[in-house]
Amino acid sequence: MSLQDSIPNNVDLGSDRKLMRALQKWQPNFLSWWRDMGPEGFQEDQIWLRTAISVDASGWAHFDYVKMPDYRWGIFLTPREGERNIGFGDVAKEKVWEEVPGELRGMLRRIIVTQADTEPASVEQQRLLGKTAPSLYDLRNLFQVNVEEGRHLWAMVYLLHAYFGRDGREEAEELLERRSGDVDKPRILTTFNEPIDDWLSFFMFTMFTDRDGKYQLAALAESGFDPLARTTQFMLTEEAFHLSVGEYGVDRTVQRAAEATIADSNGDARAQGAIDLPTIQKWINFWFSSAVELFGGEISSNAADYFAAGLKGRHHEQKKYEEHKALGEIYAMPVVENGKLTSQEIPLRNAINEQLRDEYVSDCERAVRRWNKTIAKAGISDFELKLPSRRFNRKMGIYAEHTFDPEGNLIDEATFEKKKGEWLPTQEDRDYVQSVMKPCYEPGKMAGWIAPPRKGVKGKPLDFEYVKFTAS
Ligand SMILES: [Fe+2]
Ligand SMILES: [Fe+2]
């Protein structure tokens, strides 16, 4: 198969020889990265996967058995109908750019590389999870997420190769050289260096961290640099699946926790082999507080510059806002002043990150309400999960200099240290969660800590053989 055929695309790859040559050099390095750092131990197995082979409704979700290294990582941009003008910032109403404007080159490259770096990072973070999958259904979903993060890397590398010349090619190589959690060559963002070594963490990661990705991609889908806008728009269609794996995975864990609590005569879910609700709450506190960092500083001149330059808009900039310059408006932000929380008026452009974080937080709150319905439905009326305040447990930004409880109240450090074990996973909690992570590979069967999903994948029954192991 020629490279052109092995990379499904709608960017007319075949007609650009220089780009083809660049990708031809990069592809073997990508594959050897995938073999080294992709899912460990399942590379020869047949996985029931969806592959995007075109952007239209019938082609973007083609299902078949495939060995992961044979997955066809494609390059797709959402087609644009008619002309588009930039929708925000100082350049609002100007025509979108098909090439990178010289003066924005550095900023744009940084935005693309930062987004790109998260894609292989998450594959690396998740590479051992297959060994403890709670079911074939979940195993298949994990691999689906992994190959699609691989495709997102391809999407970003395409932009680097096609629009940034030599330094783009160098960045593309470095994306395969950094490693999640590595002391010398770590991934760019902290959250993407945290190990994901149990499935509850995986579900929390796809719920909270991938969801940050959704909002970052949505902000970039507004970009004045049209190829970036169209690429990220198509990535969002795949991202929706990752988010559902997370939200629904937590929901199934919550369901089992609630049912086990009811079933046990002492109300002890752990005695029934489930993960108890207070432990799930700690995982929420940890992963949510880690994911909210990804939106960047609360008061940010960088974000203001990106917005002014037309590089990065707001979530649903066109649908939601009437005024697209964000000038002359203010944002009321809680800040600590003289040891007290007070509200400060920030020029809106400097609070763009915080506005995006607001959208994200309310989306997360919606999911928590859904989980609480599951708890109530199981018959528990005296326990509710809660999203912690965005000020809780922060390492960056204006809240990092202070300590807050999960409700967002200012507390002293000694109190935080004393209560930490009630709010965040302790070693004992981690050991317990790890102890129930036993693989369950029999079609249709589930590990004891998680409820079965309501339905299978794409009309297939739950006991479908989502992964066919190669007899070894
Ligand atoms: Fe992604
Ligand atoms: Fe994702």
Side-chain angles (χ1 to χ4, degrees), residues 154-166:
W154 271 90
M156 294 289 113
V157 161
Y158 161 75
L159 293 179
L160 290 170
H161 276 157
Y163 296 95
F164 290 87
R166 176 203 281 261

Side-chain angles (χ1 to χ4, degrees), residues 115 118-119 148-149 152 210 217 235 239 242:
Q115 175 62 43
T118 66
E119 315 288 356
E148 284 175 354
E149 301 305 8
H152 292 174
D210 275 76
L217 293 175
M235 288 160 77
E239 210 53 55
H242 308 180

Side-chain angles (χ1 to χ4, degrees), residues 226-294:
D226 207 42
L228 175 62
R230 293 163 54 210
T231 302
T232 46
Q233 208 157 68
F234 187 71
M235 288 160 77
L236 280 166
T237 56
E238 289 160 320
E239 210 53 55
F241 169 71
H242 308 180
L243 303 184
S244 77
V245 166
E247 182 174 338
Y248 194 37
V250 174
D251 193 56
R252 288 162 55 213
T253 312
V254 165
Q255 183 188 336
R256 175 73 187 114
E259 287 167 1
T261 308
I262 296 279
D264 191 82
S265 53
N266 300 313
D268 181 359
R270 287 192 184 189
Q272 302 291 316
I275 301 171
D276 53 299
L277 292 168
T279 299
I280 296 174
Q281 177 68 62
K282 290 180 182 181
W283 259 244
I284 292 174
N285 292 349
F286 176 83
W287 284 102
F288 174 79
S289 61
S290 168
V292 283
E293 306 278 22
L294 294 168

Side-chain angles (χ1 to χ4, degrees), residues 299-318:
I299 305 166
S300 167
S301 56
N302 257 350
D305 291 345
Y306 290 171
F307 186 84
L311 291 177
K312 199 174 162 192
R314 291 172 290 189
H315 182 240
H316 289 164
E317 178 72 46
Q318 296 314 311

Side-chain angles (χ1 to χ4, degrees), residues 328-332 344-348 351:
E329 291 175 72
I330 55 123
Y331 182 100
Q344 193 178 315
E345 296 192 341
I346 309 290
L348 188 58

